Amino acid sequence: MWDTHSVIFYFYLSFALIALWGVAQAWHSQTRTETIHPFKSFVHLLAFYLSYLLFPLFFFSLYSGWSGHYSSQQSIFIFLLSCVLIYARFIEPHFVRVQHQQYSLNPEQKMQRPVKIALIADLHIGLFSGHERQLKTIVKKINQQQPDLVVVAGDWTYEPENKLAEELETLKQIEAPVYSVNGNHDEQYPGPPIQQLLRHALSVNNVIDIEGQIVEFDEFRLLGVGDLWAGKTDMRYLPDLPQDKPWIILSHNPDTVDMVPKLPTRPLMLSGHTHGGQVELPWLTNYIMKKVSILGHKKGMYNHENADVFVTVGTGMVGVPFRFFVPPTIDIIELI
């Protein structure tokens, strides 16, 4: 019964059945997606669902090495490749980590008490990520940190379904005010036209859209700035505003920092957009990042002429359904 020929037959049978299931799931999911590129969405979803083929491939590599069906080198190569891809697809994207960073907003005067800001970005609710389990994990970890406020630096979506308000319902459990701006995927650059869908989903789930608005805090002001690729980043008016407090600027694309004018107190911009590369591969990731961020932003803190910018790697995925050595992250910025 379980000779080599039988195992190979059942392997190909399982492979074919999973492939058919993947194609059907991708097609069905695409029909519920808000997109202007149905075929592109279908191809992306195909990669998402066909990744389940990695599991029979993993077990077959073990068997083929043991039985001699493949050479030991071939079996080891397939085994290692399937392990890496399984980790990047099914494990790391669900390991939401919390990272801490202290920042002196005004070096000449310390804060009366530290202010804790939870920064998240690039949830990309839609094709690959931002589903209920991950959102619950994000909300739980944010609440454990007890931040004074939560800021979301855009790219909420990645061609989501039209039930976006229901998918975001978990956000109501965040025990701090949540402020947000849009990113390029929320603004038809290259996302679909979902501004009205997103605006409704955020408002009914207690998320405050602050694009073009100022939020007053005791010792600083928070300014929401629109997306760079959408052409919504004019900040020439900033020097004309009151300067008795330092500024925190929330804007999706970190390259927006180049447009911050000189102010009496150096502002801090909080951004996302880059995903930290999402998949960390030697040389290749850094090469691709040059097209994502003209100014060379990837992750962490950067100092520029008129402002500093902190770039979070975000929590979601686009392009390919993998994260590798760039786990989804909640950044806690403690102002001191």
Side-chain angles (χ1 to χ4, degrees), residues 32-176:
R32 304 195 309 264
T33 298
E34 296 285 323
T35 181
I36 53 175
H37 302 293
F39 180 72
K40 181 181 175 183
S41 295
F42 172 70
V43 171
H44 284 173
L45 285 162
L46 206 55
F48 182 76
Y49 286 109
L50 290 184
S51 59
Y52 284 91
L53 292 170
L54 291 166
F55 290 104
L57 189 64
F58 168 81
F59 289 111
F60 187 69
S61 69
L62 294 176
Y63 176 80
S64 61
W66 173 76
S67 66
H69 183 69
Y70 289 158
S71 69
S72 58
Q73 292 91 341
Q74 290 173 320
S75 299
I76 290 170
F77 174 77
I78 295 171
F79 171 77
L80 291 176
L81 180 62
S82 59
C83 282
V84 167
L85 292 175
I86 286 171
Y87 170 78
R89 163 66 176 87
F90 296 98
I91 299 174
E92 185 168 304
H94 301 290
F95 271 156
V96 180
R97 67 174 181 173
V98 178
Q99 198 163 259
H100 292 262
Q101 172 91 25
Q102 283 193 332
Y103 183 83
S104 178
L105 192 56
N106 185 355
E108 297 179 3
Q109 182 179 345
K110 285 192 173 183
M111 307 284 283
Q112 293 180 8
R113 69 171 186 85
V115 175
K116 198 182 282 188
I117 301 175
L119 167 64
I120 56 174
D122 303 289
L123 282 86
H124 287 299
I125 294 156
L127 299 185
F128 296 154
S129 50
H131 303 296
E132 185 178 13
R133 183 173 68 162
Q134 189 188 47
L135 278 180
K136 284 184 175 179
T137 300
I138 291 169
V139 168
K140 180 182 177 181
K141 287 182 178 286
I142 286 175
N143 286 338
Q144 286 173 346
Q145 297 299 314
Q146 298 181 317
D148 297 287
L149 63 151
V150 178
V151 295
V152 186
D155 269 7
W156 282 94
T157 61
Y158 185 42
E159 303 192 7
E161 297 181 7
N162 55 17
K163 57 177 184 177
L164 187 58
E166 298 171 38
E167 292 182 309
L168 289 178
E169 201 167 348
T170 308
L171 298 177
K172 287 182 178 179
Q173 298 172 22
I174 294 178
E175 298 165 358

Side-chain angles (χ1 to χ4, degrees), residues 23 29 40 54-55 63 92 130 132 135 140 189-190 199-200 206 222 235 258 273 295 302 316 324:
V23 171
S29 296
K40 181 181 175 183
L54 291 166
F55 290 104
Y63 176 80
E92 185 168 304
E132 185 178 13
L135 278 180
K140 180 182 177 181
Y189 299 93
R199 192 179 303 116
H200 169 72
N206 303 333
L222 173 64
M235 287 181 279
D258 207 31
H273 182 62
L295 297 181
Y302 295 86
F324 186 64

